[in-house]
Amino acid sequence: ATTFVTHSLAMDLDTARANKSVTELPNGFLQANNDAAKALVEDINKKRKSFYEDIAKKNNIPVEQVGAQAAEKIKAERKA
């Protein structure tokens, strides 16, 4: 008898971007475009939120401003 083992590989951000499973939003967060990307997006957005909050606090600026600046930086890096 032959046994088939299926491995569920977690999607990484580069793969998710390449297959359009995620969209970078202008607020610095990700949007999941399918169910397969939801866990990845939740994890990354949680980390980004914490990072943005730390920067905002250190610089006494709104979190939204940090997110918007991060979005611009991400957009520029993706074009390079």
Side-chain angles (χ1 to χ4, degrees), residues 9-19 21-22 37 40 44:
L9 299 176
M11 189 181 308
D12 67 19
L13 183 55
D14 289 335
T15 301
R17 284 176 173 154
N19 68 23
S21 293
V22 299
L40 174 71
I44 292 173

Side-chain angles (χ1 to χ4, degrees), residues 4-80:
F4 294 97
V5 178
T6 305
H7 293 281
S8 176
L9 299 176
M11 189 181 308
D12 67 19
L13 183 55
D14 289 335
T15 301
R17 284 176 173 154
N19 68 23
K20 309 244 188 280
S21 293
V22 299
T23 300
E24 290 283 353
L25 299 175
N27 64 0
F29 292 97
L30 291 168
Q31 172 183 301
N33 296 329
N34 58 46
D35 289 341
K38 282 184 180 178
L40 174 71
V41 166
E42 287 174 6
D43 182 55
I44 292 173
N45 281 346
K46 183 178 175 183
K47 291 174 183 174
R48 286 185 179 184
K49 182 179 182 201
S50 176
F51 183 69
Y52 297 165
E53 286 173 343
D54 288 346
I55 292 172
K57 192 174 196 177
K58 288 176 186 172
N59 293 288
N60 198 28
I61 58 175
V63 173
E64 296 80 11
Q65 183 178 342
V66 176
Q69 290 172 344
E72 288 299 317
K73 184 176 180 183
I74 291 166
K75 185 178 176 181
E77 288 174 356
R78 302 245 329 119
K79 287 184 178 179

